Structure formats: C-alpha cells, structure tokens
Amino acid sequence: MIDIDGLTRRYGDTTVVDTVTLQVQQGELLALVGGSGAGKTTLLKMINRLIEPTAGCVRLDGEDTRSVEPHTLRRRIGYVFQGVGLFPHWTVAENVAVPLTLEGWPATRIRQRVDEVLELVELPGHIRERRPAELSGGQQQRVGVARALAASPRVMLLDEPFGALDPVTRDRLQQSLLDLKQRLGLTAILVTHDMTEALLLADRLGVMRGGRLVQVGSPADLLRAPADVGVAALFDTPRRQVRVLDMRLGGLA
Amino acid sequence: MSEQLRLLPGLLTAHLQLTLAALLAGALLSIPLGVLVRRVPRIEGPLLAGVGAIQTIPALALLAGMVPLLAALGLPGIGALPAFLGLTLYSLLPMLRNTVTGLSGIDPAVIEAARGVGMTRAQRLRRVELPLALPTIVAGVRTSAVWTVGTATLSTPVGAPSLGNFIFSGLQTRNLAAVLVGCVSAAVLALTLDGLVLAVSRGHSERRPWLRRGGLVGLGVLAARALWPLLASATTPSR
C-alpha cells in the first residue's frame, strides 16, 4: 500500500532522514517512534510531499508520488496535524468540508458527508456552525480527524495528533481512532514520541534515531529481539508504568 | 454662509471623485504588491523603503511637485491629474505595509494545513491567506482613506476643485465660515468613509450580513454620488 524506498532528506550538510525503506500494508497502522530530531515528522511529510525528498521515492498502490501534482496527491491522503491546524476563519462544517469543496463536490453531498464524518468522530451535530476557537482541544482534534477522513482517503498520516491533549481526552481519542481504523480499514502512519500510545494503537512500530530507521516490527518482535539497547530501552517507561500501576492497584484493576 | 452651502454639493462631489479614484488606484496597486512581496521576499526592503520615502515628502509638496513633472512630460500639469497621481502615491504606504504585515502574521501551521489538505497556491491565497489578513489590510485601507480625504483638500492649489476650495479661499478673504465649512465637511467625509469600510469588514468577518450590506450600500451611495455627474455629462448631448 505505502512503499517507501530509500527516502532521504538533507538540509545542507545535515541528513535529517537517511535512506529509509519501509512498507505499510493495507489496513495496517504503523507508528513511527523515536526522540525529537529523529526525523519522524520529516519522513511523514515526505509521503505527501509537504517536504520534497532529496533522494528516494514513495509509491502508493504502486504509483510513484512524483508522477502526481503535489496538491492532487495531498487531496488523496488524509493528514492530521500536530497542533490541529484548523482554519480559524471557518466553521467546523466548513473546515471538515475543505477536501470536498476543493474537489468540487455539490453542496448537498458535502452537507451529507460532513454529517457522516462528524458522527464518525463522535461530534454532536450542533457544533457544525461553531468556530474552532469555541471548541475544546479534544473537540478540535476530532474535527481535524473528521477533515482528514472527509474525502475517504486510502491513506492517513497522523503527526503527533494527541500530543497536546490531557490524558483522559487522549485516551478517548485513541479509542476512537482504533475504532475508526477497524471500521474503515484505514491504512495509517502515526508519528508519536509516546511509546505507550504507539504500543496501544499500532500493528507495527518503526523506531527512528538520527534520521535512520533502526528497526521495524510488531511490539512483540521488538520486545523479543530488540536491534540494540536503544530499542530495548524504549520499553522501560511503559514497563515501569505497568509495574507501578500493578503494585499500586494490587489486583484491584 | 448660504453661499458656502450652495457650493457644498458640487465641491463635495469633486472631492469624493478625487478621493475614491485615488484610493481605488492605490489599493489596486498596493495590495497586489503586498502579495507579491510574500512571494519574492527580497523586494520587500527596497519596495517598502521606496513607498515610505514618498510618505516623507510633505503632502502639499508632493501634489505641487506633480505639476512641473507632468508639464515636463507634456501632460496637463494643472487640474485633476496631478492631484490624482499625488494622492494615489500618498495612499500606498498604509495599504502596502498592512498587506505585508497581515500576510506575514498568519500562523505558519495554518498555511501548512492549507498545503496539507491539497490547496494550490492560488487557492491558499484566496481562501486562507487573504481572508485571514483581511482585518489588517482593511485597517490599512481605513488609514489610507482618512489620509486621502484630508490630503485631497490640498488639491485646490494644483487646480483640482475640492473641499479645499472653502479653506483656501476662506483664508484669503478672511471668511472664517467658509474655512469652517471646508474643515468640518472634510472631517465628516473622512469619518463616514472610515465607518463604512469598517462596517463592511466587521460585517464580513463577524458574519453579520446586515452590517456588511449597510456598509456596502453606504459606499455604493458615495460611489454613485461621485460617478453620477460623469455619467450624466456623458449621456446628455453637449449643448
């Protein structure tokens, strides 16, 4: 489905993403994890050409992304931005409808589709006419997800979508995303620095460090045979959390 | 006093014609230039410096300077043309500067989102960047409008009739009522124009259709007032 081949991005002498090769299957959610500056977001943005690769290529369903106009390519890919990225001068309904208005859908079909996706992300219909600034952070991010889903893209890219939310809201949105993935069979790449989130949501994890893809595999693969101590260390925090929770709740949970 | 009031409609129309024509030309020049500056950042410094330099010339000197300049070019050096050109140049800076400021003040995350959802460059400009910069651009238009209405009183000495006629002739003949009529009517016109532009922009951004419509109707009335004599003289056969 997504076929990344030797993708590289250099800025002057610095290589931010270094010959990454990676495949994501249909219906699979892959999480890119790693510290800040590991190149996760740059890699993600090269998939829909928000950043142009210095070398290498990306194929979606076998089609080289360089053969399509960037704006056409981006309309086919749902993108959820870090820090939401809603248009402040438009209502919720107008924000969600952007991918459809750009494609020239008729107004009645747009209305219908906006209602559908708002329901899909569990937002009440009465917020349609509100402006983003009048919504809570969690609601804003749901609108962001609804906008990304509106044109029924085959591929979704999510750049730390839940990073700025409080833990309860984050948990609810993570559950919603899992639910959507199952119902719609989404193929998605999720960038996160939160290992626990990656373990909760992803089918496979891609660990990045210094622009390189260090290891790719299911959580069990990474746990069983980590490529190096760095990968093994990623499990320390979630493990400790489990241990502490288990101890504190002592069988109550 | 009644003599002054008899002259008022004609001079008000002349003043309005000059002001609106100069503002329109100024806006059509400065707003696209402001957009261009965003695309070609290296022209920003020289362009703003150049337009800023125009502003340092005293308004009366700028208008008066147009007279020998136009005469040297073989154009009519006295009348509406030097006033129009001077006022247009004078109106550029606030609108240009505010367009540049408004566009560069947009959150980069919003621009990236516009790219990310698949807008072309033209769609991004029209649907996102200009609407978000609009309040700042309109503030520039309002500043220019007030300046131009005021400065247009100085077109009387270069041969274009305006509300300045009251002021200049009143000062020469010690007719203080005339001076007062000129000053007050110019001030009222400036405030009216400013208020109408504000109403249109508020009505638009706060989605209050009546406010917007009211402002547009008001501006329409002023424009009609300015255009009517021109249309009338064009359609009636000259005697």
Side-chain angles (χ1 to χ4, degrees):
Chain A
M1 186 74 196
I2 307 175
D3 190 356
I4 298 170
D5 190 1
L7 213 55
T8 301
R9 175 71 216 198
R10 279 186 219 102
Y11 293 100
D13 291 339
T14 353
T15 306
V16 183
V17 172
D18 192 358
T19 42
V20 169
T21 298
L22 174 69
Q23 283 85 35
V24 182
Q25 304 307 317
Q26 172 87 47
E28 184 183 36
L29 197 158
L30 180 123
L32 288 174
V33 296
S36 46
K40 312 178 296 274
T41 297
T42 308
L43 177 60
L44 193 77
K45 286 180 179 170
M46 284 195 286
I47 296 172
N48 73 349
R49 291 176 64 187
L50 276 174
I51 296 175
E52 291 289 349
T54 312
C57 73
V58 179
R59 281 180 292 271
L60 295 177
D61 266 344
E63 185 187 28
D64 193 325
T65 54
R66 286 172 302 189
S67 66
V68 204
E69 284 285 315
H71 66 266
T72 317
L73 173 71
R74 291 179 201 132
R75 287 179 197 175
R76 293 188 206 155
I77 299 174
Y79 198 104
V80 182
F81 294 85
Q82 183 176 19
V84 194
L86 296 178
F87 302 110
H89 57 308
W90 285 341
T91 64
V92 167
E94 287 167 335
N95 265 286
V96 173
V98 182
L100 311 176
T101 42
L102 288 176
E103 287 291 290
W105 283 33
T108 45
R109 264 183 77 203
I110 291 182
R111 243 195 110 72
Q112 207 182 340
R113 180 63 185 158
V114 168
D115 286 340
E116 272 172 33
V117 282
L118 285 179
E119 200 181 307
L120 219 48
V121 299
E122 297 158 61
L123 279 172
H126 66 83
I127 65 153
R128 288 180 61 102
E129 302 308 319
R130 301 242 183 103
R131 300 288 182 96
E134 301 167 49
L135 305 179
S136 70
Q139 285 175 322
Q140 286 181 13
Q141 200 48 279
R142 280 182 197 272
V143 175
V145 174
R147 181 177 68 187
L149 287 171
S152 312
R154 293 171 301 174
V155 171
M156 287 267 276
L157 305 175
L158 302 105
D159 185 8
E160 295 198 24
F162 312 132
L165 302 173
D166 67 84
V168 178
T169 313
R170 191 186 312 153
D171 180 51
R172 296 231 314 266
L173 272 164
Q174 285 168 348
Q175 291 312 313
S176 299
L177 183 68
L178 268 185
D179 183 45
L180 283 171
K181 177 191 165 256
Q182 247 99 59
R183 279 165 69 187
L184 307 174
L186 289 176
T187 306
I189 299 184
L190 167 82
V191 163
T192 180
H193 56 245
D194 179 353
M195 188 61 180
T196 311
E197 177 170 274
L199 290 173
L200 284 171
L201 297 177
D203 301 306
R204 283 193 305 155
L205 276 68
V207 182
M208 289 193 73
R209 193 187 311 131
R212 295 185 151 274
L213 189 64
V214 183
Q215 190 173 9
V216 190
S218 68
D221 291 341
L222 266 57
L223 195 56
R224 204 178 318 116
D228 56 26
V229 284
V231 175
L234 285 172
F235 289 91
D236 289 352
T237 311
R239 260 218 194 95
R240 194 178 53 244
Q241 285 173 342
V242 168
R243 220 170 29 235
V244 171
L245 284 176
D246 195 44
M247 204 168 68
R248 294 230 159 157
L249 299 174
L252 288 171
Chain B
M1 190 70 174
S2 64
E3 165 70 7
Q4 314 303 336
L5 293 180
R6 196 179 57 75
L7 288 171
L8 187 59
L11 289 175
L12 192 64
T13 304
H15 198 97
L16 208 52
Q17 283 171 344
L18 210 49
T19 306
L20 291 183
L23 266 178
L24 192 67
L28 289 179
L29 211 60
S30 57
I31 297 173
L33 273 176
V35 171
L36 187 71
V37 164
R38 286 286 294 163
R39 295 273 160 81
V40 195
R42 73 202 143 78
I43 64 170
E44 178 174 348
L47 190 68
L48 280 174
V51 174
I54 296 173
Q55 220 68 49
T56 64
I57 306 171
L60 185 58
L62 184 68
L63 267 66
M66 283 292 150
V67 176
L69 194 71
L70 287 171
L73 292 171
L75 291 163
I78 288 284
L81 192 62
F84 166 73
L85 288 179
L87 291 174
T88 302
L89 286 177
Y90 216 62
S91 75
L92 292 178
L93 184 64
M95 294 191 275
L96 176 65
R97 199 180 40 203
N98 279 35
T99 305
V100 173
T101 310
L103 288 174
S104 58
I106 299 171
D107 184 354
V110 172
I111 299 198
E112 183 169 63
R115 294 177 62 214
V117 297
M119 290 189 197
T120 60
R121 219 151 75 150
Q123 287 169 332
R124 215 160 69 215
L125 181 68
R126 200 173 68 76
R127 296 177 189 226
V128 178
E129 295 179 67
L130 283 179
L132 287 175
L134 193 66
T136 316
I137 297 176
V138 168
V141 173
R142 290 173 55 203
T143 308
S144 283
V146 171
W147 282 10
T148 309
V149 171
T151 312
T153 54
L154 300 175
S155 27
T156 297
V158 299
S162 73
L163 293 172
N165 285 26
F166 290 119
I167 302 171
F168 283 97
S169 67
L171 286 173
Q172 271 167 4
T173 60
R174 296 281 178 269
N175 181 344
L176 296 184
V179 174
L180 208 61
V181 168
C183 291
V184 171
S185 51
V188 169
L189 183 61
L191 290 175
T192 309
L193 203 54
D194 183 45
L196 289 173
V197 174
L198 179 65
V200 175
S201 98
R202 277 265 177 86
H204 183 78
S205 59
E206 293 167 19
R207 303 206 180 188
R208 288 153 67 184
W210 282 105
L211 190 62
R212 174 161 172 244
R213 215 166 294 160
L216 283 174
V217 167
L219 287 176
V221 167
L222 289 187
R225 170 87 219 182
L227 285 174
W228 181 246
L230 302 176
L231 290 173
S233 68
T235 47
T236 48
S238 54
R239 278 164 292 177

